[in-house]
Amino acid sequence: MSETVAVIGGSMTKFGQREAWIRELLADAGEACLDDAGVPSDAVEHLYVSNMASGEFEGQTGVMNALAHDLGLLPAYSQRVDQTSASGGAGIYAAWQSVASGASEMTLLVGGEKMTHRSTAESTDIIASITHPAEYKHGVTLPSFAGLTARLYLDRFDAPRESLARVAVKNHENGTRNRKAQFQKEITVEEALESPIIADPLRLYDFCPVTDGSAALLFCPLEVAEEYADDYAVVSGVGGATDTHVVHEREDPTTMGGVVDSSEEAYEMAGIGPDDVDVAELHDMFTILEFLQMEALGFAEKGHAWEHAMDGRTKLDGDRPINPSGGLKSKGHPLGASGVAQAYEIYEQLVGEAGDRQVPAETGLACNVGGFGNCVTTAIFEANR
Amino acid sequence: MSETVAVIGGSMTKFGQREAWIRELLADAGEACLDDAGVPSDAVEHLYVSNMASGEFEGQTGVMNALAHDLGLLPAYSQRVDQTSASGGAGIYAAWQSVASGASEMTLLVGGEKMTHRSTAESTDIIASITHPAEYKHGVTLPSFAGLTARLYLDRFDAPRESLARVAVKNHENGTRNRKAQFQKEITVEEALESPIIADPLRLYDFCPVTDGSAALLFCPLEVAEEYADDYAVVSGVGGATDTHVVHEREDPTTMGGVVDSSEEAYEMAGIGPDDVDVAELHDMFTILEFLQMEALGFAEKGHAWEHAMDGRTKLDGDRPINPSGGLKSKGHPLGASGVAQAYEIYEQLVGEAGDRQVPAETGLACNVGGFGNCVTTAIFEANR
């Protein structure tokens, strides 16, 4: 039997356009996380850094070694975890494994990315390197896939275009309650529907922004958690899966196979089903992905997630709030940070520290997606308070 | 108690200047490894890819998702492990954790790098991004550190310059017995001592080459190993550590702190000491590093490793052969592959399949170093035959 793993602290920096470089962003989140948990730096045995592309964005690699040094964790083991835009979720899996295997009794996970100093064209080039070169060369970038898939979804399931706008409106509304979010701005359905077309039928407000930022979580065995904290969360389930690298080889582009597979693993480990999940952070890099993930996770019937958005069931006061943090849409999407920040929001909700965004929750789920569903991790957390 | 982890298969591609790109190199080693173990691709649950910089070298990221696809492993979980030039060793630690934690019952690790299509200046730039920017900007690259440290070592311990040449001569000699090694060429002490100066007192033959290649290992719990193989190896100890990111902050540059710390962890877990190790693969990116690691691992007294080289104790027929594969010096150093290839050599030695390089061994050790000792993993394997 492996160790039961707890999360006893968390943090995130302000997301947005930041002057700091990657080493500072990572150090800020890491330090704040140790402070939050009241754990001294010399207690940390393993450090994982979720980061996709500091080499490409800044010409700086070895950021995990630098961070171990900067935080005074030496001689702690340090390693970088990359799973493209799902690097944060993969970091959660890595941190869980490090504690569950007994290799570490105190594991710090810090995810971050510094992106906004590069032009949109440069960032797009770096991000597009995730995909198959044949797709990229022919101009099928991630936004293009999102447009194609949104068109198919709306047509096949007779969903109104407005339902996608409602995802953006909700996530922007939630973001105004999160001072760390990139955007602090409500938008209307009309504004979303009239914003400039990016990849038809998707418009500007269907896309997450380019963002700098970092987030951190601290993991340890359950019995160690009890020494440091009264309120904490337990990682009750975690799973990961890969889908085809070439998107056109998928049988049904509206089904996110990696989400199905990774969540089945996580549900089984946690011994629960989708109905037991009170709150979730999903990877809404594009609004359409919130629907596809809700369906793949079993939160809605196939082809019906859009109805939840229209009915307001995913809002803060709905049956099951989705993306209370503001999601990638409003909070921002610093690649390697996003999966960690999702789990940080769930942690805050479970320990009752989510402030104006607080929802009643005992069980929360975070789903982090890389590429266009090429790789996915799903993690389930339970409150222990 | 965590699971005992076995290695039931391994492979490496020919190292050298290769026409294949990174995806092909990784797929070649991965496929050969599954074949070697007789394990079907659909049995693989986790895939780890050790790779430092496919994005920087080739503009291709997401190589772990691509490889899972190419090898038919879907929906297996896939993740990239980066620890700069120690990415392979970090991959061993990650693979071990995945099995030891119970997350995976069959984990494939593939390490690889494609480098030779870039100019030496470009490669040097990419590799130098490991170091602190202040060092790099002032021209203190990894070869410079090696030169400075070699000078200090030779002076302080009254070691003859010839002792470094003997490391190169031995590793080239071993490489002639390894058809996968980049170099198949014996050299003499005189040739090594008269080769062009690179970073005084180090000369051309004190440095490993730039290399393309990949290597793979297959990990599973002990009881699963018994289903597939009669002869296999057990990971009896593993440890990892980080040293200062800024090299000049180290108290004594001739002591590799990361090697000391990671090997102490590995020895403790294995319940053995240095004298119990029959054969080792060390990270001889520069000849001087073979001495520093031998001393940090406890194979030689501080300041005395050079005597082992002069006496021939580290040769194939010596007391404890070091780098029977030819080492990074002769086998080549495709960054992400090297740590995996080191452990593959130990595996081959322990299962008695090392051919002309076979030495008598029950216990073997692999030590993989990133940066100039910035991060290190040490793994100990025991024969089970």
Side-chain angles (χ1 to χ4, degrees):
Chain A
M1 266 306 286
S2 59
E3 294 281 355
T4 298
V5 180
V7 178
I8 59 167
S11 73
M12 68 178 272
T13 66
K14 169 73 183 164
F15 277 16
Q17 192 168 344
R18 299 288 307 272
E19 288 305 308
W21 67 312
I22 186 69
R23 278 185 65 174
E24 293 174 83
L25 289 172
L26 295 172
D28 285 350
E31 191 175 17
C33 181
L34 292 174
D35 283 352
D36 179 57
V39 168
S41 55
D42 62 8
V44 175
E45 299 183 6
H46 281 202
L47 168 69
Y48 294 87
V49 172
S50 295
N51 169 268
M52 175 180 157
S54 69
E56 291 91 325
F57 279 114
E58 292 185 82
Q60 176 72 53
T61 62
V63 288
M64 56 291 182
N65 307 150
L67 183 63
H69 185 150
D70 292 344
L71 293 178
L73 310 183
L74 304 185
Y77 175 69
S78 63
Q79 188 218 294
R80 181 166 73 113
V81 173
D82 166 39
Q83 205 192 45
T84 70
S85 26
S87 296
I92 292 167
Y93 206 0
W96 178 85
Q97 289 177 40
S98 81
V99 175
S101 67
S104 168
E105 289 223 328
M106 190 62 72
T107 294
L108 178 63
L109 168 66
V110 185
E113 210 85 40
K114 175 74 180 89
M115 307 171 71
T116 65
H117 59 295
R118 303 295 289 262
S119 70
T120 303
E122 288 171 336
S123 290
T124 304
D125 250 18
I126 292 170
I127 296 167
S129 70
I130 294 171
T131 57
H132 191 281
E135 292 171 340
Y136 178 42
K137 275 183 201 151
H138 291 89
V140 200
T141 58
L142 298 179
S144 317
F145 280 124
L148 292 165
T149 309
R151 167 72 65 209
L152 183 63
Y153 184 93
L154 296 180
D155 285 356
R156 187 182 291 175
F157 304 117
D158 207 19
R161 176 64 185 79
E162 185 189 335
S163 61
L164 292 171
R166 286 195 180 269
V167 172
V169 169
K170 165 182 68 72
N171 292 350
H172 270 269
E173 198 176 305
N174 294 350
T176 64
R177 296 164 181 251
N178 184 353
R179 66 182 184 82
K180 305 263 181 84
Q182 183 161 5
F183 298 130
Q184 310 286 331
K185 176 189 168 189
E186 292 200 17
I187 58 166
T188 64
V189 168
E190 292 66 35
E191 282 171 326
L193 289 176
E194 285 161 20
S195 63
I197 287 182
I198 303 289
D200 191 40
L202 298 183
R203 292 166 181 264
L204 184 63
Y205 281 122
D206 292 295
F207 294 85
C208 69
V210 174
T211 312
D212 307 324
S214 67
L217 290 169
L218 193 61
F219 299 78
C220 64
L222 195 59
E223 64 273 18
V224 177
E226 284 158 5
E227 290 172 30
Y228 286 102
D230 292 327
D231 297 345
Y232 52 88
V234 165
V235 185
S236 53
V238 61
T242 313
D243 203 346
T244 66
H245 191 59
V246 183
V247 174
H248 76 246
E249 289 187 8
R250 295 179 198 163
E251 212 165 306
D252 174 5
T254 66
T255 296
M256 298 187 79
V259 177
V260 173
D261 293 322
S262 66
S263 65
E264 273 176 6
E265 227 178 292
Y267 285 137
E268 193 188 328
M269 180 175 152
I272 65 167
D275 292 344
D276 301 310
V277 175
D278 302 315
V279 60
E281 286 278 312
L282 307 186
H283 195 95
D284 60 329
M285 184 178 181
F286 317 114
T287 50
I288 181 66
L289 289 187
E290 191 166 303
F291 293 165
L292 300 190
Q293 280 161 77
M294 285 175 64
E295 296 174 9
L297 289 163
F299 291 173
E301 295 292 314
K302 177 83 183 166
H304 291 274
W306 64 269
E307 294 165 9
H308 295 236
M310 293 300 286
D311 295 350
R313 278 181 269 170
T314 54
K315 294 173 77 168
L316 284 185
D317 59 358
D319 304 343
R320 175 165 37 214
I322 303 288
N323 286 324
S325 72
L328 278 54
K329 176 68 205 81
S330 164
K331 190 174 54 185
H333 181 25
L335 307 170
S338 288
V340 183
Q342 290 179 316
Y344 170 62
E345 175 70 13
I346 296 300
Y347 167 77
E348 292 275 273
Q349 292 285 351
L350 297 180
V351 297
E353 290 178 5
D356 290 346
R357 308 184 305 280
Q358 186 67 51
V359 301
E362 292 295 320
T363 302
L365 178 149
C367 183
N368 194 200
V369 173
F372 199 70
N374 300 19
C375 46
V376 183
T377 57
T378 300
I380 300 171
F381 301 87
E382 276 172 31
N384 217 311
R385 61 178 183 220
Chain B
M1 268 305 288
S2 60
E3 295 278 358
T4 299
V5 180
V7 178
I8 59 167
S11 73
M12 67 177 273
T13 66
K14 169 72 182 166
F15 276 17
Q17 192 169 343
R18 298 288 307 272
E19 288 306 308
W21 66 311
I22 186 70
R23 277 184 65 173
E24 293 173 83
L25 289 173
L26 295 172
D28 285 350
E31 191 174 18
C33 181
L34 292 174
D35 283 352
D36 179 57
V39 168
S41 55
D42 61 7
V44 175
E45 298 183 6
H46 280 202
L47 168 69
Y48 294 87
V49 172
S50 295
N51 170 268
M52 175 182 157
S54 69
E56 291 90 326
F57 279 113
E58 291 184 83
Q60 176 71 54
T61 62
V63 289
M64 56 291 181
N65 307 150
L67 183 63
H69 185 151
D70 292 343
L71 293 178
L73 309 183
L74 304 185
Y77 175 69
S78 63
Q79 188 219 295
R80 181 166 74 112
V81 173
D82 166 39
Q83 206 192 46
T84 71
S85 26
S87 296
I92 291 167
Y93 206 0
W96 178 85
Q97 288 177 39
S98 81
V99 175
S101 68
S104 167
E105 289 224 327
M106 190 62 71
T107 294
L108 179 62
L109 167 66
V110 186
E113 210 85 40
K114 175 76 180 92
M115 307 170 72
T116 64
H117 59 296
R118 302 295 288 264
S119 69
T120 303
E122 288 171 337
S123 290
T124 303
D125 250 18
I126 292 170
I127 296 167
S129 70
I130 295 172
T131 57
H132 191 281
E135 292 171 340
Y136 178 42
K137 276 183 198 148
H138 291 89
V140 200
T141 59
L142 299 180
S144 316
F145 279 124
L148 292 165
T149 309
R151 166 72 64 209
L152 184 62
Y153 183 93
L154 296 180
D155 285 356
R156 187 181 292 175
F157 303 118
D158 207 20
R161 176 65 187 78
E162 185 189 334
S163 61
L164 292 171
R166 286 196 178 267
V167 172
V169 169
K170 164 181 67 74
N171 292 350
H172 270 270
E173 197 177 306
N174 294 349
T176 63
R177 295 165 181 251
N178 184 352
R179 65 183 185 80
K180 305 265 181 82
Q182 182 161 4
F183 297 129
Q184 310 286 332
K185 175 190 166 189
E186 292 199 19
I187 59 167
T188 63
V189 168
E190 292 66 36
E191 281 170 328
L193 289 176
E194 284 160 21
S195 62
I197 287 181
I198 303 288
D200 191 39
L202 299 182
R203 293 167 179 263
L204 183 63
Y205 281 123
D206 291 295
F207 294 85
C208 70
V210 174
T211 312
D212 308 324
S214 68
L217 290 169
L218 193 61
F219 299 78
C220 64
L222 196 60
E223 64 273 19
V224 176
E226 284 157 3
E227 290 172 31
Y228 286 103
D230 292 326
D231 296 345
Y232 52 88
V234 165
V235 185
S236 53
V238 61
T242 313
D243 203 346
T244 66
H245 190 59
V246 184
V247 174
H248 75 246
E249 290 187 7
R250 295 180 197 163
E251 212 164 305
D252 174 5
T254 65
T255 296
M256 299 187 79
V259 177
V260 173
D261 293 322
S262 66
S263 64
E264 272 176 7
E265 229 179 291
Y267 286 138
E268 192 187 328
M269 180 175 152
I272 66 167
D275 291 344
D276 302 310
V277 175
D278 302 314
V279 60
E281 287 278 313
L282 307 186
H283 195 94
D284 59 329
M285 185 179 180
F286 316 114
T287 49
I288 181 68
L289 290 186
E290 191 167 301
F291 293 164
L292 300 190
Q293 281 161 75
M294 286 175 64
E295 295 175 9
L297 289 163
F299 292 172
E301 293 293 314
K302 179 82 182 165
H304 291 274
W306 64 270
E307 294 165 9
H308 294 235
M310 293 299 287
D311 295 350
R313 277 181 269 169
T314 55
K315 295 173 77 168
L316 285 185
D317 59 358
D319 303 344
R320 174 163 39 213
I322 303 287
N323 286 322
S325 72
L328 279 55
K329 176 69 206 81
S330 165
K331 190 173 57 185
H333 181 24
L335 308 169
S338 288
V340 183
Q342 289 180 315
Y344 170 63
E345 175 70 13
I346 297 299
Y347 168 76
E348 291 275 273
Q349 293 285 351
L350 296 180
V351 298
E353 290 178 5
D356 289 348
R357 309 185 304 281
Q358 186 67 52
V359 301
E362 292 295 318
T363 301
L365 178 151
C367 182
N368 194 200
V369 173
F372 200 71
N374 300 19
C375 46
V376 183
T377 57
T378 300
I380 299 170
F381 302 87
E382 276 172 30
N384 218 310
R385 62 178 182 219

